[in-house]
């Protein structure tokens, strides 16, 4: 049994989705069953800062500007999921060429996140 924390299954011909942030594209992928990765790939771009730091270093107006500039409607969500707290998804996908084949790329237009007041108990 493989327990994947921060990873998604990428077995032979296994289909999956690797999402970006609220404002970055997501990818439909096919796994390559790389044994060195335990037939796994990343499950997203990864964070550049903790949730706690996101609340103290980003603003709602910064987040809203990015979403508006990209034509994205946000339902729910909070600063801990701001687009600027994530790594560049394009770099992360490029680094996984031995793990997955990209089949399609899609861009978000409506993003539904957990409501801000429903995140009690979340950890960094």
């Amino acid at each position: 049994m493989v327990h994947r924390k921060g990873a998604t299954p990428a077995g032979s011909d296994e289909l999956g989705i690797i999402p970006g942030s609220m404002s970055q594209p997501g990818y439909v992928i096919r796994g390559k069953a790389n044994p060195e990765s335990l037939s796994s790939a990343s499950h997203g771009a990864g964070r550049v800062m903790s949730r706690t730091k996101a609340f103290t270093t980003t603003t709602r107006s910064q987040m809203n500007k990015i979403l508006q500039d990209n034509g994205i409607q946000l339902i729910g969500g909070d600063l801990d999921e701001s687009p600027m707290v994530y790594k560049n998804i394009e770099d992360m996908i490029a680094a996984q060429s031995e793990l997955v084949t990209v089949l399609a790329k899609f861009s978000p237009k409506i993003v539904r996140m957990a409501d801000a007041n429903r995140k009690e108990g979340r950890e960094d």
Side-chain angles (χ1 to χ4, degrees):
M1 176 181 287
V2 176
H3 176 246
R4 293 177 173 90
K5 176 73 173 138
T8 193
S12 182
D13 292 327
E14 192 166 9
L15 297 176
I17 295 175
I18 299 177
S21 70
M22 292 179 190
S23 64
Q24 294 186 59
Y27 292 85
V28 178
I29 53 96
R30 182 182 308 277
K32 293 184 176 181
N34 185 312
E36 292 179 27
S37 73
L38 301 176
S39 296
S40 301
S42 75
H43 78 295
R47 302 179 72 86
V48 295
M49 68 179 76
S50 71
R51 294 180 188 281
T52 302
K53 187 172 181 183
F55 280 117
T56 60
T57 60
T58 64
T59 66
R60 185 151 307 269
S61 63
Q62 289 172 319
M63 181 176 78
N64 289 343
K65 172 135 177 49
I66 291 170
L67 296 173
Q68 183 179 16
D69 289 350
N70 288 283
I72 298 165
Q73 177 186 350
L74 175 63
I75 303 167
D78 210 342
L79 295 176
D80 61 329
E81 294 288 341
S82 295
M84 62 282 248
V85 306
Y86 286 93
K87 297 174 186 173
N88 183 305
I89 189 67
E90 306 284 351
D91 295 339
M92 298 305 292
I93 292 295
Q96 299 183 85
S97 63
E98 294 180 8
L99 308 180
V100 299
T101 299
V102 173
L103 301 178
K105 177 179 176 178
F106 58 94
S107 296
K109 293 300 172 200
I110 299 173
V111 175
R112 175 64 169 120
M113 304 289 291
D115 293 332
N117 62 356
R118 302 194 44 96
K119 292 185 179 181
E120 298 90 9
R122 287 184 76 172
E123 299 176 8
D124 280 344

